[in-house]
Each structure stands twice: as C-alpha cells, then as structure tokens.
Amino acid sequence: MIKLFFRYLFMWVMLVLVQVLLLNHIQISGFLNPYLYVLFILLLPFETPKYLLLIMGFITGLSIDAFSNTPGIHASATTFMAFLRPYVIGVTSTRDTPDINTPPRVSQMGLAWFFKYTVILVVAHHLCLFFIDAFSLNGFLFTLLRCILSSVFTIILVILSQFLIYKE
C-alpha cells in the first residue's frame, strides 16, 4: 500500500512538473494547449473513494493554477473531471471488463475501452476549462474549436504515454 502511494505521488509530481515547466509553454496559435496533467486522474485505481478522487482532482488543478497564475480555472475543471469519472467508468464498462483491482491502463483494459474513457473525460475537462476561461458565449465557436483541438492533442499525448511508459 505504501509502495502504491509513493508511485502515485511520484506520478503526480512528474505530471505537474512536465505540465508547468514544459507543456504550459506550448501554445500553437492559441488553439492547441496540451494538458497532460489530467492523466493523473485518469490513471487512479478504480477503487479510489469518490471523496478522495474529488480532493485529489482539486489539489491537482489547484497546483497547476498556482504555477500558471489562473485563479481556480484548472481546479474547477479537474474537480469536475474527477466528479464525472465514476459515472464514465460505469457507462463505458461492460461485463467483460476485468476485476475492479486492475488499474485503468491500456495494457489492462484494452485500447478501445481506454480510448472511450479518455475521450469522454478529457473533452469534459476541456469544455469546462475553456468555457470557464472565456466566461462568456461571445466567442462560442472559437472556444469550442480551442476545446476540440486541445482535446485531440491531449488525447494523443495520453495514449502515447500509455505505450511509452506502461509497457506491462
């Protein structure tokens, strides 16, 4: 249990550092903004209690907000994503899915399941993030385009990370 705690703590620290030091500086025409830090919420074990999921989502988003000088935008979007996660797992899971003790990774759950799971949660996160950031519907299509393009880029990074890091 302690080993698992330190593994997830290390993953959290690395994802926050990569996001803050590298990915926050990538903005292609204001449309592509990769947010790989959401991978932390995606990869938490299935049996993580809902209250702990919300707390970790809030703390993860708040840490990105602290470094990015964005007052609560990432915290609210990541908490929303953590709130939706149990429902998305319930909707995307079938009777064929493995035991609840398996982690939500491509190697354990399969690419098709992980892709659906990732797409739903990343798009929900990005919709919340970009529309809170815009805080109006004046540039609705611009904001929606930013959301779609950033979601695609983030999903590609998440799937690539599964094949590069978790080769199990």
Side-chain angles (χ1 to χ4, degrees), residues 34-95:
Y35 294 111
L36 189 62
Y37 73 93
V38 299
L39 185 63
F40 178 71
I41 302 299
L42 291 171
L43 296 182
L44 287 172
F46 288 125
E47 64 270 2
T48 305
K50 290 178 185 179
Y51 74 90
L52 189 57
L53 197 59
L54 291 173
I55 291 170
M56 288 191 291
F58 180 74
I59 290 172
T60 301
L62 196 62
S63 63
I64 299 299
D65 282 330
F67 289 110
S68 302
N69 200 20
T70 52
I73 294 171
H74 291 278
S76 60
T78 312
T79 305
F80 178 65
M81 180 183 171
F83 173 76
L84 288 180
R85 184 179 180 256
Y87 301 107
V88 171
I89 289 171
V91 167
T92 58
S93 296
T94 63
R95 292 180 182 224

Side-chain angles (χ1 to χ4, degrees), residues 105-151:
R105 295 191 185 16
V106 169
S107 60
Q108 300 291 325
M109 301 299 290
L111 181 61
W113 181 88
F114 191 80
F115 183 75
K116 284 190 292 187
Y117 166 73
T118 301
V119 166
I120 294 169
L121 287 176
V122 167
V123 168
H125 172 270
H126 283 47
L127 281 171
C128 184
L129 179 77
F130 287 120
F131 278 104
I132 289 174
D133 185 31
F135 205 66
S136 90
L137 294 177
N138 286 342
F140 179 78
L141 292 177
F142 176 76
T143 305
L144 190 61
L145 183 62
R146 279 183 67 197
C147 173
I148 292 168
L149 293 176
S150 293
S151 293

